[in-house]
Amino acid sequence: QVQLEESGGGLVQAGGSLRLSCAASGRTFSTYYMRWFRQAPGKEREFVASITASGGSTSYLDSVKGRFTISRDNAKNTVYLQMNSLKAEDTAVYYCQTNPDGTSYWGQGTQVTVSS
């Protein structure tokens, strides 16, 4: 079983930055493919970014490319989402997710609110 805990959300003005963290349990974190998703009020949850186990390859939602950066520190069992040039439309609850054993694990989410 994997436990995920997000942190780092908050209220920020448009154009500002936040860094989200997701701490994971498990001794094999370095083998986990990790993802960030978000869900805005009244909308479906959507993929934001992903990173391979080694950190060598990343993928992003088109609307966040060039503004968001996903990274990981396998020594700390943590994945990050650096969010720059935030926009009001980035307002959502952000979740990290992984499925190392075929089961999808989610954190509880962290709220990001961008004021315009």
Side-chain angles (χ1 to χ4, degrees):
Q1 185 151 356
V2 178
Q3 293 182 324
L4 303 173
E5 183 173 2
E6 303 94 339
S7 60
L11 174 64
V12 63
Q13 289 187 335
S17 297
L18 283 174
R19 188 177 81 155
L20 306 184
S21 299
C22 172
S25 65
R27 290 178 288 181
T28 57
F29 175 78
S30 62
T31 68
Y32 300 170
Y33 191 102
M34 298 296 299
R35 302 172 184 86
W36 284 98
F37 287 79
R38 67 186 181 186
Q39 187 165 19
K43 295 186 177 181
E44 293 189 353
R45 194 170 296 189
E46 66 176 353
F47 166 83
V48 175
S50 65
I51 188 166
T52 55
S54 67
S57 182
T58 58
S59 181
Y60 297 93
L61 176 70
D62 282 349
S63 63
V64 308
K65 285 181 180 177
R67 301 189 296 120
F68 290 12
T69 303
I70 188 171
S71 62
R72 65 191 297 157
D73 185 338
N74 285 342
K76 295 183 178 180
N77 279 22
T78 301
V79 63
Y80 304 98
L81 186 67
Q82 177 67 44
M83 306 186 296
N84 299 328
S85 302
L86 282 161
K87 304 176 181 180
E89 51 263 44
D90 295 319
T91 294
V93 178
Y94 284 71
Y95 302 88
C96 60
Q97 183 267 349
T98 189
N99 58 339
D101 56 6
T103 300
S104 185
Y105 298 97
W106 297 85
Q108 83 289 347
T110 186
Q111 176 71 47
V112 171
T113 302
V114 183
S115 63
S116 56

